[in-house]
Amino acid sequence: MTGFLFNAGAIVLLLGGLIFVHELGHFLVAKAMRVKVLRFSLGFGPRLLGFRRGETEYRISALPLGGYVKMAGDDPTEAPAPEDRGRGFLEQAPWKRLAIAVAGPGMNLVFPGAIFVALALALNGNPTEGPVIGTVAPGAPAAAAGLRPGDRILSVAAPGAPARPIRYFSDLRKVVSPHPGEPLVFRVERDGREIEPLTIVPKETEDRNPVETTRRGVIGVAPTYATATVAPVAPGAAGPLEPFDLVVAAGGKPIRHAGDLTAVLEAARCAPLDLEVVRERPLQLPGATLGTFAAATLRGVPTCAGGEPTFRLADPEVSTFVAAVAPGSPAAKAGLVRGDAIASLDGKPVQTFLDVQALARDLEAGVAVSVGLASGRTVQLVPENETFVDELSKEKIERLSLGFSTGRRAAVDPAALATGKVPFVRGPIEILEAAWDELVFMVRLNVLGVARILTGKIPSSTIGGPLMIMSMATEAAAEGWGPFLRLMALISVNLALMNLLPIPVLDGGHITQALLESVTRRPLSVRAREIANVVGLILLFGLMLFAFKNDIMRMVS
């Protein structure tokens, strides 16, 4: 019963809140224009409860699929009452009707901005990642320039711009992202003193989502240390060490992360070390691969052979070690096994699995590709297509499969991997700028999404109705206030854009009509308005039926 009430409350708050905000926009501007408002209703149909104050009735109605503001003189087939003369909606100048119509969608855009400001204020004072580097990806621009784990970034200067101080790791992302391929100058503090500035050229990468593909710059760093998960560079090279052993102590010193392990190895200068590890054993189950874990003490583990390390980090963020091979997959047929480290794909060197994923985009099913391994062996792998069901559209989609995967990141306490937290503090101007940026991003994403649906680039099966919104509301509410409010912001923006479409009976239809009358200098005929309203109702009803059909198909599948 408690769960039902919680879900019902989430749905009422989301739908009721957005409907109220939208209709409040119309109501306030209508009142400001001295247009008589007869009724403010949340929902349609019969009245459930309400009250009257002054000339306006405020009510909640039985069908909670929208709302409306009933104004005097808004029906072209009815003459306004004598006492309402001059205060009817259709009697107003086109610019006044335009302002009243725009106010609803406008409030649906102002509301997300207020949400983003509130969320930004809630973050003030909370701990966040500082500007200290924890992980540097092998082969990434940061590694090539000499940036190391533990370095603190003081400032970054883009070409032709002043250096920007870096207070938080998120500042680093914002500065680097817009400058792929451009030299950036980094001021860096190492071991308590500033070193010579480093020039780093960010690598261009793609961010893909169902709506768009964007390009941004990355330098290959993270605000947390890699785990001390390791693997031999070749079978037996590190004696008793096995792939994906998690080192928890080395030479009698506790190891929290890869930074601690690197320091111990540097101090050992290739001497053998006693290691304490947590060892994972894959456990094959029908339809899944899990793992069991046990502690082990390894004596005299060789750390170097011929001046080269005998084992490397196998954390999935900084390695290409294969953790699992699917039975019968292309990788299994090629002879890949757990513990193999991929050195090249199709003749191109790779340093991390991000490199592997980037190169895999250009591969074709049925066309063999050479996979070079760190052991010196080369195998031929023939990619295959696999079918999976998209979670949103429930459509079957084919994608390329290689058949191997990285290891799961070891279950280490996140606090042990953190480089250090600092209080997140922003002033009023910064908060407003951040809220504005989020609002612009969300509006742009919604506009692109609607455009791609209309042009057929995104399947129409992704269109959702009230049932989908209710499901999303309950899921977001279960995650907390932050996700729930962000969902409200997203749907509010979507509601604003949909209402701006030039469809009669929607706000966009009233806006179009007011603009036409401003140009022609004469009102539309009653017959034209009636036809437009009928067409609009048919379109709106058809869209609602289509959205309901999609919702039901999702539930069935």
Side-chain angles (χ1 to χ4, degrees):
M1 185 64 180
T2 303
F4 172 79
L5 292 175
F6 177 84
N7 291 340
I11 293 168
V12 169
L13 180 59
L14 187 139
L15 292 178
L18 294 182
I19 293 169
F20 174 78
V21 164
H22 182 90
E23 301 305 334
L24 182 64
H26 294 312
F27 174 81
L28 292 177
V29 175
K31 286 284 191 180
M33 298 292 179
R34 298 194 71 256
V35 173
K36 185 175 181 179
V37 178
L38 302 176
R39 186 179 306 126
F40 183 108
S41 176
L42 298 180
F44 298 106
R47 177 181 183 272
L48 292 180
L49 55 95
F51 62 91
R52 175 175 293 277
R53 177 167 295 175
E55 61 188 14
T56 304
E57 177 196 9
Y58 302 87
R59 66 156 67 168
I60 295 176
S61 300
L63 299 177
L65 298 179
Y68 64 93
V69 172
K70 172 68 176 173
M71 287 172 271
D74 60 3
D75 187 342
T77 63
E78 297 179 1
E83 66 271 17
D84 297 335
R85 293 291 175 126
R87 298 189 64 198
F89 175 72
L90 293 177
E91 296 178 90
Q92 307 304 309
W95 72 268
K96 289 188 177 182
R97 285 184 281 127
L98 177 68
I100 294 171
V102 167
M107 280 291 282
N108 281 126
L109 292 177
V110 171
F111 181 61
I115 286 178
F116 295 141
V117 168
L119 291 175
L121 286 170
L123 286 176
N124 254 18
N126 287 351
T128 189
E129 290 91 356
V132 177
I133 304 303
T135 301
V136 180
L147 205 61
R148 299 179 187 175
D151 286 347
R152 177 182 293 274
I153 309 301
L154 302 177
S155 68
V156 178
R164 177 171 172 176
I166 305 298
R167 299 169 298 168
Y168 317 112
F169 196 85
S170 57
D171 290 343
L172 182 61
R173 292 192 188 100
K174 291 176 184 177
V175 172
V176 171
S177 291
H179 300 286
E182 299 179 32
L184 303 179
V185 178
F186 285 64
R187 284 180 54 230
V188 179
E189 181 184 285
R190 178 176 297 163
D191 297 328
R193 59 187 181 84
E194 187 172 344
I195 64 174
E196 287 293 319
L198 300 178
T199 299
I200 304 177
V201 180
K203 178 183 176 181
E204 184 178 281
T205 189
E206 290 185 347
D207 282 345
R208 299 184 180 185
N209 59 50
V211 174
E212 64 176 344
T213 298
T214 57
R215 290 172 173 79
R216 63 185 180 90
V218 296
I219 61 173
V221 296
T224 55
Y225 289 106
T227 61
T229 307
V230 298
V233 295
L241 197 69
E242 294 187 7
F244 303 101
D245 280 348
L246 173 65
V247 180
V248 295
K253 296 182 179 180
I255 301 297
R256 298 169 300 165
H257 47 64
D260 287 348
L261 180 60
T262 300
V264 171
L265 291 174
E266 288 178 352
R269 298 186 179 182
C270 283
L273 286 174
D274 292 342
L275 302 181
E276 293 181 24
V277 303
V278 174
R279 178 164 292 170
E280 177 187 8
R281 294 291 190 193
L283 180 63
Q284 296 291 340
L285 296 175
T289 300
L290 300 179
T292 60
F293 298 88
T297 299
L298 312 179
R299 302 293 182 187
V301 176
T303 59
C304 293
E308 296 295 325
T310 59
F311 59 86
R312 294 195 292 117
L313 290 176
D315 187 292
E317 291 190 3
V318 295
S319 80
T320 58
F321 281 99
V322 174
V325 177
S329 68
K333 295 173 184 176
L336 288 179
V337 296
R338 175 181 166 89
D340 280 339
I342 298 172
S344 66
L345 186 65
D346 198 20
K348 301 178 180 65
V350 293
Q351 300 278 356
T352 70
F353 265 100
L354 288 177
D355 301 332
V356 175
Q357 292 167 356
L359 292 174
R361 292 178 187 146
D362 299 325
L363 303 182
E364 297 180 20
V367 179
V369 59
S370 63
V371 179
L373 304 179
S375 62
R377 188 164 59 101
T378 299
V379 300
Q380 296 296 312
L381 187 149
V382 182
E384 298 174 359
N385 280 329
E386 66 174 359
T387 302
F388 76 104
V389 178
D390 182 80
E391 292 184 3
L392 183 62
S393 66
K394 301 303 180 184
E395 292 185 342
K396 291 183 177 180
I397 299 175
E398 281 195 343
R399 66 181 175 191
L400 201 68
S401 170
L402 303 181
F404 59 82
S405 60
T406 63
R408 298 183 297 273
R409 195 163 205 200
V412 176
D413 181 2
L417 302 177
T419 56
K421 300 278 189 176
V422 295
F424 190 60
V425 179
R426 290 184 293 186
I429 301 300
E430 287 181 293
I431 287 175
L432 291 175
E433 288 176 346
W436 174 255
D437 289 343
E438 284 203 66
L439 180 60
V440 169
F441 173 77
M442 192 169 280
V443 170
R444 182 172 62 83
L445 214 59
N446 272 273
V447 170
L448 288 173
V450 171
R452 289 182 179 273
I453 289 174
L454 293 176
T455 56
K457 294 180 180 179
I458 294 179
S460 57
S461 57
T462 58
I463 296 174
L467 298 180
M468 179 179 173
I469 293 174
M470 291 176 186
S471 174
M472 294 169 67
T474 56
E475 291 175 7
E479 294 178 20
W481 277 109
F484 182 78
L485 290 174
R486 288 190 181 280
L487 177 64
M488 283 193 79
L490 175 65
I491 297 176
S492 186
V493 169
N494 192 266
L495 183 62
L497 296 178
M498 295 302 295
N499 268 280
L500 289 173
L501 293 176
I503 298 175
V505 309
L506 291 182
D507 296 327
H510 294 299
I511 292 168
T512 302
Q513 179 181 321
L515 291 174
L516 283 174
E517 292 184 10
S518 297
V519 173
T520 60
R521 301 291 182 178
R522 57 189 178 87
L524 292 178
S525 66
V526 172
R527 181 61 177 164
R529 288 174 177 169
E530 288 177 341
I531 293 173
N533 285 340
V534 170
V535 170
L537 286 171
I538 292 173
L539 289 173
L540 190 60
F541 189 64
L543 180 61
M544 291 181 65
L545 285 178
F546 184 76
F548 266 115
K549 186 265 292 182
N550 284 350
D551 287 349
I552 293 170
M553 292 302 295
R554 285 190 196 93
M555 293 174 66
V556 169
S557 48

